[in-house]
Amino acid sequence: MQPTYDQTDPTSPAGSIPHWIDPVREADLVARRRTVHRTPETGWAEFIATARAAEFFTSLGFKVMVGREFIDPIYVRGRSDTEVSESERLAKAAGVSPVLLQRMGGLTGLCATFDTGRPGKTLAFRVELDALKMDEPADPDHIPYKEGFASERPGLMHACGHDGHQAVAFELGRFIVANRDRLTGRIRFIFQPGEEGSRGAYPIVQSGLLDDVDTLLCAHIATDLQAGTVVAAPEKFLCTTKIDLHFEGMQAHAGMQPQLGRNALLAAADAALILMALPRHSDGMTRVNVGTLHAGEGRNVIAAHADMEVEVRGENEAINRELAREAVTRAQGCAMAFGVKMSHKIMGEAVDFVPDDGIVQMITVCARRARYVREVRPSVPLNGSDDATLMIRRVQSQGGRAGYFLVGAGLEASHEHAAVDFDERYLVTLYDIFANLVIGLSGNW
């Protein structure tokens, strides 16, 4: 789809400002979101999504880097070789350029930078690529199923709004190019793999992409917020650590020589109970969850292997760090009690952050100008985690500023699929806020 820049949507707040052009229509955002929704991919295996973004932003004149061109694999967490291999196969079958796949080198993610050629600051946007491991509901009341854009990948779907975020980023790219003569400095889109599980931000931080960023903007479509509500600075981002535990015991025949075995399954099961009994903390809220436990080799065999996925969360970094340390210590104790070995890997993490007041004020002003906004709230408790916080902390540590806001797009609570469906009209709300922030932060508003 080739963009045209000679017309402005008369309803657009950005396009109503003298000398600014807004070529984006609401229908463009919806159509692009639906295209993305059809091909969900899991974290660190988003080859189709990376290629789609690379081709689009290259066509707009952005400088594009993909995969290994900026991500060092030594910092990558939670990447499944099996999932990557299958997703690469599907990407080839879908017609993704072999040259692009070779450039990626088995790693997804994209950085697209537009240099205006005029002195100025660097503005960056974080965009998530991955989907969730869940089946798309085959139900006439589910919007993607009803409208014919449901997931083409069994066991995967965009259920967290990342498809909408990508659509907004694409159209924002068109807005930037349409107004290139009015902008200064550099504008960068960072398409992050593996946001689910807090896996993707850490290697991007280590890549150095953020070290010259003056302002980083992050946002999220929120299905649990009433449609038309914008939260300028949500609070209570929980710090989190995602931990994989591996228990290694010794096989033995359960009937003939049970005394020779060392039961990794029982050690892991004991650890699961002990971990869920971790004490809460007087300094703030905590969360602990044992998400998966896979163990054993057969009905009549003492289990020699067990693998467990665990997460802890704390209201601040100190609480979270203490929980993570205690979780590993307790798991190690359970392993010792059953005579097995235990090892662990950190698979993901996120922290908390303090938003910059100046950016929060800008978000508030821009949100009030956006279409379909009914209410702008200064804050609400998020009580969840997002590894964008690692990126925000990095920018702030280098003297930059950052902001994170929510755009409510929830459906009626009575809707059976309200947790995974969102009102697509509010893609234009997210787009309007970003477009107005581009104008405001360019110094030309």
Side-chain angles (χ1 to χ4, degrees), residues 247-265 295-306 339-340:
F247 297 82
E248 185 81 22
M250 185 179 298
Q251 280 190 2
H253 192 284
M256 297 173 60
Q257 294 178 311
Q259 75 280 5
L260 298 182
R262 295 293 180 267
N263 201 314
L265 187 157
E297 291 78 33
R299 185 188 305 273
N300 63 339
V301 179
I302 302 296
H305 302 91
V340 308

Side-chain angles (χ1 to χ4, degrees), residues 21 140 150 170 190 213 238 246 259 270-271 292 310 330 351 424 428:
I21 300 168
F170 277 62
I190 299 172
V213 170
L238 298 182
H246 176 69
Q259 75 280 5
D270 193 41
T292 69
V310 176
R330 290 190 175 205
V351 295
E424 292 177 308
V428 82

